[in-house]
């Protein structure tokens, strides 16, 4: 990986995408269905909250598909936010907010009181269920009536242990082969970020905040749907799934 000054932020975006695809080969399909659902419920000019936005993967795809959309990206990770700020610098459609989703008042930092859609992917498994339950209540307060919340993440059904084990074995066999072919995993990607002159300091701060591994939980899609309904959404169910991941939609 060359430095940001040599290749610009797009190289880091592409590198992040490749690293994430090592874990989730169906990642782009998830994003496509997510944006299909945004269009179905909000039309082609949505006001979107990109929750735990990271480098802005959802925002980039949102604006490519809906040029008149607006996006507020929220995250706490200083390294990924650095990449997002570099990527969207000068784009008036994008506002980036540094906030901890576990704080009670994080919504006060947002530029809007309500959103047509709140979108998140591969992020909320960093939270334990009590914190996620509270977060869902705050999200329900942000989504307008008729708007949607979409969460794409690992949602594990513990009632199917043999299916889970077989899927995991096959997925990791393929991941091992991809790594032998040159794919970067999470740890190696972050090691390279730590070597970049621009990203080194925010990467160090990132590991001070989060540590090396998530301390969260991966409850089932049924738990997510039940909790979202209890927190104020009218309907909630999966709208897409792979053998290991689910895209769950909640309608206000």
């Amino acid at each position: 990986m060359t430095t940001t000054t040599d290749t610009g932020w797009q190289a880091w975006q592409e590198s992040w995408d490749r690293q994430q695809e090592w874990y989730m080969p169906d990642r782009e399909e998830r994003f496509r269905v997510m944006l299909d659902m945004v269009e179905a419920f909000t039309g082609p000019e949505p006001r979107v909250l990109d929750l735990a936005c990271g480098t802005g993967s959802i925002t980039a795809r949102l604006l490519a598909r809906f040029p008149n959309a607006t996006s507020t990206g929220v995250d706490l990770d200083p390294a990924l936010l650095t990449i997002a700020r570099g990527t969207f610098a000068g784009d008036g459609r994008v506002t980036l907010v540094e906030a901890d989703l576990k704080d009670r008042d994080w919504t006060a930092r947002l530029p809007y009181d309500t959103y047509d859609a709140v979108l998140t992917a591969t992020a909320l498994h960093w939270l334990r269920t009590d914190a996620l339950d509270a977060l869902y209540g705050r999200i329900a307060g942000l989504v307008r009536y008729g708007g949607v919340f979409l969460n794409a993440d690992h949602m594990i059904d513990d009632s199917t242990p043999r299916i889970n084990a077989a899927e995991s074995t096959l997925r990791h066999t393929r991941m091992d082969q991809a790594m032998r072919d040159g794919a970067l995993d999470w740890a190696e990607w972050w090691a390279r970020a730590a070597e970049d002159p621009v990203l080194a300091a925010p990467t160090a701060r990132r590991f001070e905040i989060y540590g090396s591994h998530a301390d969260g939980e991966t409850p089932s899609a049924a738990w997510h749907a039940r909790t979202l309904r209890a927190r104020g959404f009218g309907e909630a169910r999966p709208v897409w799934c792979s053998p290991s991941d689910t895209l769950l939609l909640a309608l206000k």
Side-chain angles (χ1 to χ4, degrees), residues 65-84:
R65 178 160 169 176
F66 307 121
N68 292 324
T70 58
S71 179
T72 303
V74 178
D75 210 301
L76 185 62
D77 189 312
L80 299 184
L81 277 176
T82 296
I83 296 172

Side-chain angles (χ1 to χ4, degrees), residues 32-42 65 148 150 239 247 249:
R32 183 191 66 78
V33 176
M34 177 182 282
L35 296 181
D36 281 349
M37 294 298 97
V38 171
E39 182 175 11
F41 286 96
T42 75
R65 178 160 169 176
V148 292
L150 285 147
V239 292
L247 174 61
L249 183 151

Side-chain angles (χ1 to χ4, degrees), residues 3-197:
T3 67
T4 54
T5 52
D6 290 333
T7 62
W9 297 109
Q10 190 58 39
W12 278 109
Q13 289 283 359
E14 292 173 359
S15 176
W16 177 259
D17 285 343
R18 301 294 85 75
Q19 178 258 126
Q20 290 286 286
E21 287 166 359
W22 181 67
Y23 295 95
M24 296 163 290
D26 299 317
R27 185 169 179 256
E28 291 300 327
E29 177 69 5
R30 292 196 315 174
F31 287 143
R32 183 191 66 78
V33 176
M34 177 182 282
L35 296 181
D36 281 349
M37 294 298 97
V38 171
E39 182 175 11
F41 286 96
T42 75
E45 300 183 12
R47 177 192 293 171
V48 169
L49 177 61
D50 184 352
L51 197 71
C53 65
T55 66
S57 296
I58 290 175
T59 291
R61 288 156 179 80
L62 172 78
L63 298 178
R65 178 160 169 176
F66 307 121
N68 292 324
T70 58
S71 179
T72 303
V74 178
D75 210 301
L76 185 62
D77 189 312
L80 299 184
L81 277 176
T82 296
I83 296 172
R85 291 185 180 116
T87 300
F88 300 106
D91 192 331
R93 300 170 296 176
V94 180
T95 303
L96 294 168
V97 176
E98 184 173 345
D100 187 343
L101 298 180
K102 291 184 288 186
D103 288 346
R104 293 176 60 87
D105 62 347
W106 67 269
T107 59
R109 302 186 184 187
L110 301 177
Y112 304 105
D113 293 331
T114 61
Y115 288 85
D116 299 314
V118 177
L119 311 178
T120 190
T122 325
L124 300 189
H125 65 272
W126 281 79
L127 299 177
R128 301 194 69 78
T129 52
D130 55 347
L132 187 56
D133 187 359
L135 177 64
Y136 278 172
R138 296 186 181 98
I139 292 170
L142 290 170
V143 177
R144 66 162 175 82
Y145 180 78
V148 292
F149 168 64
L150 285 147
N151 179 16
D153 210 342
H154 314 306
M155 299 182 188
I156 306 302
D157 186 343
D158 291 332
S159 70
T160 59
R162 291 187 296 159
I163 295 173
N164 298 349
E167 181 280 323
S168 179
T169 298
L170 177 61
R171 175 162 43 90
H172 282 90
T173 297
R174 290 175 173 174
M175 290 167 68
D176 290 344
Q177 182 58 54
M179 182 167 282
R180 288 192 291 271
D181 293 339
L184 295 183
D185 67 2
W186 173 267
E188 187 170 358
W189 189 91
W190 281 108
R192 296 193 181 192
E195 296 172 353
D196 184 275

